[in-house]
Amino acid sequence: MATLGMSAADREAVEAFRRNVVEPSMTQLVIVDFWAEWCGPCKQLGPVIDKVAQDYAARGVKLVKIDVDKDKFIAAQFRVQSIPTVYALFQGQPVADLTNARTEGQLSRMLDQLLAQLPVQAGEVDPAAADVEEFLAMAQAVLADGDAERALAIFEQIAEIAPEHVSASAGRALALLQLGRVAEAEAVLATITDDKSKDPALAQARAGVALAKDAAPVADLAGLARQVEAAPDDLDKRYELAGGLMAIGDRDGAADQLLASIATDRAWNGGAARERLLKLFAAVGLEDPWVSNQRRRLSAILFT
């Protein structure tokens, strides 16, 4: 980009681009993400690009974000007509348009292909970032094993190192939920900005808080269960029983009651039983084998 005849602001933008993009691209693969604060699709794609770029940093991949409102001259040089627009640059030249890669898998496959073809030099891993990811994996494994107290302690250590790490905050909220500390979990989630809301662990934590607030404890759960058994078509009581079972962590019992209600009258109370069941699925985690099994049960009711 020639600087002759340009304004001082444009010259400064070009120099910054050379320093942050062109020079690193001599040895690294630089992902340039053109975005804007008002762009909804950019906010959806942003966390995906951030994560993949971090995962590939050790292989020589660097991410640079360019706000098209602040760097209009650079965006114009690349003829950016819509956003998000994402390019990969190597040795100062665009080598791939990554705009259509909207998932981690798609973006990873495209980067793998580029790295196999180009003489990109491996990058250096930030030791602090590596520690965070190592601690995060440990905390998630401990939480999956059911030791919420220990997992919470690890997540809180991560929060001291990386207070804005979304997955760590979501894990911390999930640990608090398992310990029955719903208000604290909700407070943790409130600190996370909306532009990071596509994180799967975050969605699970938010669903868990919503479910915990929806599930009301029942003083005489056994007595209510007997009432439902005596009057199985009383869907109000069955719904109350499902909430009571969720409140004590009996997801199997809650699912049984909600599925029975749907089988009796799927439209009851505006589909409340199905809505509560879907909340339960989201709180457990959509990839969990238990959820897959319950979904099959739900499908058998809905499509027979």
Side-chain angles (χ1 to χ4, degrees), residues 85-148:
T85 292
V86 186
Y87 292 125
L89 274 69
F90 184 65
Q91 295 185 344
Q93 299 297 320
V95 293
D97 185 344
L98 307 178
T99 305
N100 291 327
R102 297 303 175 97
T103 67
E104 288 184 32
Q106 291 171 345
L107 187 55
S108 295
R109 283 192 292 274
M110 295 185 76
L111 290 179
D112 286 339
Q113 292 173 2
L114 290 170
L115 293 171
Q117 298 168 11
L118 301 170
V120 175
Q121 293 183 11
E124 296 182 359
V125 180
D126 181 351
D131 287 345
V132 167
E133 295 307 317
E134 184 177 340
F135 280 128
L136 179 62
M138 180 192 305
Q140 290 169 336
V142 170
L143 186 62
D145 287 340
D147 191 346

Side-chain angles (χ1 to χ4, degrees), residues 115-275:
L115 293 171
Q117 298 168 11
L118 301 170
V120 175
Q121 293 183 11
E124 296 182 359
V125 180
D126 181 351
D131 287 345
V132 167
E133 295 307 317
E134 184 177 340
F135 280 128
L136 179 62
M138 180 192 305
Q140 290 169 336
V142 170
L143 186 62
D145 287 340
D147 191 346
E149 200 73 65
R150 182 171 168 235
L152 178 60
I154 302 172
F155 281 125
E156 289 180 340
Q157 289 180 48
I158 298 172
E160 294 178 6
I161 302 170
E164 296 185 359
H165 197 297
V166 180
S167 295
S169 296
R172 186 178 170 202
L174 287 170
L176 287 165
L177 282 171
Q178 286 194 19
L179 294 168
R181 295 156 62 177
V182 179
E184 292 177 64
E186 190 172 17
V188 170
L189 295 176
T191 65
I192 302 173
T193 55
D194 286 340
D195 63 333
K196 298 172 181 175
S197 63
K198 292 299 178 180
D199 186 282
L202 178 57
Q204 183 182 353
R206 284 177 170 160
V209 167
L211 188 68
K213 295 171 72 174
D214 180 49
V218 174
D220 184 8
L221 200 58
L224 181 59
R226 286 193 295 271
Q227 292 178 44
V228 171
E229 186 177 358
D233 291 337
D234 188 338
L235 300 187
D236 286 288
K237 289 194 180 300
R238 195 180 284 280
Y239 189 80
E240 183 184 357
L241 177 58
L245 291 167
M246 287 193 298
I248 64 170
D250 185 356
R251 66 185 187 186
D252 289 317
D256 288 345
Q257 295 302 325
L258 294 170
L259 287 165
S261 178
I262 295 167
T264 302
D265 182 1
R266 67 186 66 177
W268 173 80
N269 197 19
R274 183 173 181 272
E275 182 179 344

